[in-house]
Amino acid sequence: EYWNQRYSKEPSNITFDWFKTYKDLKPSFDEHLQNKDVSILMLGCGNSTLSEDMYDAGYHNITNVDFSEIVIENMQNRCIDKIGMSWLVMDIRDLKFPEETFDVIIDKGGTMDALMSDEGDVWDPKPEAVENVKRAVDQVVRVLKIGGKFIYITFGQPHFRRKYLERPCWDINFKKLGDSFHYFFYFMIKKIA
């Protein structure tokens, strides 16, 4: 309800990027996403320009999901000329894709951070928040191809976020972005099913 209300109050041509823009992230994407023909799933896309900017940079197979019908409709209309990019209403805790569908899955300061926003104590989050994030990461693992990459961009420091990302199928790597206020670029490669 919150997101639908927020997006219904904003003009449909307004965009907003949590954290970094594509321009800021381009060096990291160039390093980790050298093949532009990959299939990409953008989790909790909102009205960020990240998918549009990636499309303009040559990544043309992008599926965007968000559970706000309003933002999906707005972004579909905004990006109608971007052939190969799709926009779907979906809950990331219950992705409606077959197993091992995507080469790359990206969450940029969106959905998992929103799930953790009502976590209570950051050292001891509410059980509901922990369960929601677990379900979301389990869905990422399920729909990511073996050899596929999960990229998570967040302000969440590793000592807070790492435990929610840990799975037997990958190692967690990250780097710090920014000069004064830091963001983190987490990078996982799915090695086993």
Side-chain angles (χ1 to χ4, degrees), residues 1-14 47 68-74:
E1 286 181 22
Y2 167 81
W3 291 107
N4 273 336
Q5 286 177 4
R6 176 184 169 146
Y7 291 128
S8 68
K9 292 175 184 175
E10 295 177 352
S12 61
N13 63 340
I14 295 294
N47 59 1
S68 170
E69 301 92 355
I70 293 169
V71 81
I72 290 295
E73 182 179 338
N74 289 346

Side-chain angles (χ1 to χ4, degrees), residues 18-29 31-32 50 107-109 151-158 173-187:
W18 296 98
F19 308 148
K20 302 290 185 180
T21 64
Y22 176 72
K23 181 181 175 184
D24 299 316
L25 297 169
K26 185 179 183 313
S28 297
F29 285 148
E31 177 184 351
H32 294 288
L50 181 61
D107 182 354
K108 182 183 76 81
I151 295 172
Y152 175 41
I153 301 136
T154 178
F155 65 86
Q157 300 169 343
N173 302 290
F174 66 90
K175 67 179 175 180
K176 224 185 304 189
L177 304 173
D179 297 324
S180 56
F181 188 79
H182 295 118
Y183 299 92
F184 297 87
F185 186 99
Y186 293 86
F187 180 78

Side-chain angles (χ1 to χ4, degrees), residues 17-164:
D17 272 290
W18 296 98
F19 308 148
K20 302 290 185 180
T21 64
Y22 176 72
K23 181 181 175 184
D24 299 316
L25 297 169
K26 185 179 183 313
S28 297
F29 285 148
D30 287 349
E31 177 184 351
H32 294 288
L33 300 180
Q34 295 172 355
N35 178 2
K36 294 188 176 182
D37 294 327
V38 292
S39 58
I40 298 172
L41 174 62
M42 195 70 66
L43 299 177
C45 61
N47 59 1
S48 165
T49 61
L50 181 61
S51 292
E52 291 175 78
D53 294 339
M54 289 183 73
Y55 187 96
D56 292 342
Y59 301 94
H60 289 172
N61 187 1
I62 302 174
T63 301
N64 300 275
V65 298
D66 199 290
F67 57 65
S68 170
E69 301 92 355
I70 293 169
V71 81
I72 290 295
E73 182 179 338
N74 289 346
M75 295 305 286
Q76 279 176 328
N77 292 334
R78 178 182 169 88
C79 297
I80 198 157
D81 62 326
K82 300 201 181 311
I83 308 302
M85 183 154 29
S86 60
W87 302 87
L88 303 169
V89 176
M90 203 172 295
D91 183 337
I92 71 160
R93 298 167 300 175
D94 184 26
L95 294 172
K96 304 300 184 188
F97 302 109
E99 292 182 11
E100 300 183 13
T101 300
F102 296 96
D103 298 304
V104 177
I105 300 177
I106 299 172
D107 182 354
K108 182 183 76 81
T111 308
M112 282 200 289
D113 284 352
L115 293 174
M116 295 299 289
S117 67
D118 190 25
E119 64 188 16
D121 180 358
V122 294
W123 294 104
D124 187 24
K126 293 178 183 176
E128 181 181 355
V130 172
E131 178 58 26
N132 283 331
V133 171
K134 179 190 178 307
R135 287 175 53 200
V137 175
D138 287 346
Q139 286 294 297
V140 166
V141 169
R142 186 182 69 77
V143 302
L144 187 63
K145 294 177 183 177
I146 294 176
K149 300 169 184 178
F150 177 39
I151 295 172
Y152 175 41
I153 301 136
T154 178
F155 65 86
Q157 300 169 343
H159 55 275
F160 292 123
R161 291 293 195 259
R162 181 180 210 109
K163 62 186 171 185
Y164 304 113

